Amino acid sequence: MNIWSYILKRVLLMVPTLFGVIAITFAVIQFVPGGPVEQAMLEMKGRGGGGEASGGGAATGASAYRGRQGIDEQRIEEIKKLYGFDKPPAERFWGMVKGFLTFDLGKSFYHHGDVWTLVKSKLPVSISIGLWTFFLSYLISIPLGIAKAVREGTRFDGFTSALVLVGYSIPGFVLGVFLLVVFAGGSFLQWFPLRGLTSDNWENLSLLGKVTDYLWHITLPVAASVIGSFAVITMLTRNTFLEEIRKQYVLTARAKGLSERKVLYKHVFRNALIPLVTGFPAAFIASFFAGSLLIETLFSLDGMGLLAYESAIRRDYPVVMGTLYLFTLIGLVVKLLGDLCYVWADPRVQFESLAK
């Protein structure tokens, strides 16, 4: 099987997978209480009973009862039509799927706008945090893991292992609170801003001023996000390098008189990085879309994490389904890229074995 046949087979398998994820989620949503129609009715009931609810407990109960009886069937049908719930579930599902084929993700019930436009407006925050987290994690963890493998059993190895594991054990939002208290106007220092991605006067700053202001704002959120990710990549790099260093071809290279640096970076490096390279595309894309709700809330950053949470709470189904479709599609493509990277990193792997 050549590369193009493998890619075609995987693309064809993506279609039923994507369809199945969307269909299952849509079916589950039909049984979730508190949808947009119910929320609109509750809001109308609250308005209808608000003026009569001030006369004590009995009056409150009476007005609430009258509020429940105060919405006629015609008004309920109008609300259902407004949100598209006047159509059967099957018709709504196929209409949604047809829109997805042209990347029409629908209209948000709550934001009253296009879902794709809404997602694009939130991406700068998620990309800012994710991109810096991704690059800092790899740029620090891989050299650190190599250094730990070369110095196995030394004080440096033990100290750095304890350090990265302590960072891994601290939840990101707890570290974020600590950084805010210490460095952002708490009881100690006031070196960094409390909220936002840029200052209010960002548009009036020079190019250097804009870059400096952006880095100033992003420092604490990125620090809270990145420290916990050091441990996994660092320890994976260390253990993989140790496994390769102990293999026979390394002893042979050393016996030929090659320097330790050449043995490490010419012979060991490529084989040891295979687990990291194969996960590179997934980690790169996930860093953009796996926004942390708590980190964004702590630092008042309006990104994808906050959007996903609010959409689920408000039962904003077009946003939930649209983002699910988009991220599932990206995830399937990234999985394919990961397999291709695996073959690129290790030519011994054949497409026949990946296709099974």
Side-chain angles (χ1 to χ4, degrees), residues 153-166:
T154 63
R155 291 183 178 179
F156 173 81
D157 184 26
F159 174 75
T160 52
S161 294
L163 197 62
V164 296
L165 289 175
V166 167

Side-chain angles (χ1 to χ4, degrees), residues 18 30 73 224 324:
L18 185 60
Q30 306 309 306
E73 290 296 329
L324 175 71

Side-chain angles (χ1 to χ4, degrees), residues 42-59:
L42 286 173
E43 184 179 353
M44 293 177 63
K45 292 170 187 176
R47 291 174 180 173
E52 302 174 8
S54 60

